[in-house]
Amino acid sequence: MQVNVDKDQIILKKSIEVVAVFLFEGQLPLGGMVSHIDKAANGLIQQIWKENDFEGKLHQTAILYPRGNTEIRRVILVGLGKRGDFSADKMRAAGAKAGQTARSLKVKSLAVTLEADELELSWESATEAVVEGIILGLYQFTEFKTLDRESIRDVEQLHIMIQDLKNIPLVKKAADRAEKICRAVYLSRNLVSSPANEMTPSVMAREVLSIAKGHKKMKATVLEAADMKRLGMNALLGVARGSEEPSKFIIIEYRGEGKERPPIVLIGKALTFDSGGISLKPAEKMDEMKTDMAGGAAVIGAISAAAELHLPVNIVGLIPATENLPGGKACKPGDILKSMSGKTIEVINTDAEGRLILADALTYAGRFKPAAIIDIATLTGACIVALGDHVMGMMGTDEKLKARIKKASEQTGELLWELPLWENYQDLVKSDIADYKNSTGRPGGAITAAAFLSKFVGPYPWVHLDIAGPAWLTKDQTYNPKGASGVGVRLFVQLLTNWSDAH
Ligand code: BES
Ligand code: MN
Ligand code: ZN
């Protein structure tokens, strides 16, 4: 998407396919740029408003065809709902509505008017919200469609119209930042949408290597099975054993700050397919388990955005990548694995594989003496039962880190709720014959998974994010069309941005 920022006069002069304007419920009289457009269009906007055919209700849209002293061919009105309920996230949703409506009109370029003061947002957040909403809402995954490709439509250009010349540099900068972040979300969504036969651990590793090539401050390393064996990553290798696809341990480093500064380690679970293994999942919806690498995809997206934005932070991404299949050599229920930490794990259920590969990644993270470790994983169905489809679960050992993540989530609109990790959960993961067991049954499943992970975290601030629900949407959700959401990418970028602002 090409994003331009222009002074508003151009709207009235140039021939323009469509301009979208955003209006609060009951927002009369019209002010600012909207009133200019309305005047040029002989009061068309006033008229629809007076007829009560458009009231500015949240997500309400109307399309107008002005005649009169203007070259604007169409105006899309988008409702913002009640002023008192408004937020940056509502602006993203409204942006998505504008973009999607423009696409349905088959236009190639969309203009939007932006009046941050009217929205009571800063220019940065208003711009970011509208650009994010439009671009994220227009995402489509069409790579594998070969029929009727000419019917695939895309809005290619976005013009942001503002009234005051002096704000142009600020708005340009914010739009550029938003566009880069959206590109990273698209990257993550594409990785997740790709089917498991195309998106294998080897392909993921190759993608990361090629991303790292494009940035001076980025470096990628891929550990092969032999390397993992040498390191004693037998929990990860135990999961990989049932599959013919070689597993990979992908390491991405981005050094945006002095070399010696301890990095933030982001760990992303990457099961490119999770069949459950010998503890096989039911057939229904098993296809969705191609998305079990969404944590890894979020880490890849976030680090590539951090590099594009030149964020002054050091980050290490660790992505254990494998398939979980019931092959002849597969790990069996009852097997005991010796993890890289030396601790032994009894495998009660081979479908609780995420925590096994994360255990070794958490141990490996200790090598970097990190300032913080955050893991992100489609870890448990139990988290969906607890919080629903749209909310990620947060558990961890460090209050300050949790508060930072909570704040970032409030800024990006990626819903998150903390679940407790009290001491009384810790005994549940003990095994009778090994140190720990990988499954404790249904009660508190999201939390007992986190309790298990905590056994492999060294003396570092740590937070675990369970994205089993929001990683994959079965229904359109404003700026997240159904399918892969790319959840976590914007959250991490915001967290890292705030982090770099803080020191
Ligand atoms: N990848 C799944 C969790 C999952 C379920 C993600 C639904 C997205 C949607 C994970 O590996 C898994 O199978 N977890 C088990 C753990 C259980 C066996 C302790 C689960 O949640 O049922
Ligand atoms: Mn599983
Ligand atoms: Zn899984």
Side-chain angles (χ1 to χ4, degrees), residues 269 274 281 289 292 349 351-355 378-382 384 438-439 468:
K269 168 179 172 182
D274 177 15
K281 287 181 182 293
M289 282 301 121
D292 212 19
N349 188 323
D351 198 11
E353 83 299 334
R355 64 198 77 183
T378 46
L379 202 65
T380 67
I384 307 178
N438 79 331
S439 172

Side-chain angles (χ1 to χ4, degrees), residues 196-197 200-203 240 242-248 272 321-323 325:
N197 59 328
T200 60
S202 308
V203 173
S243 164
E244 304 271 325
E245 270 308 324
S247 57
K248 308 277 168 178
T272 59
T322 178
E323 291 184 332
L325 291 183

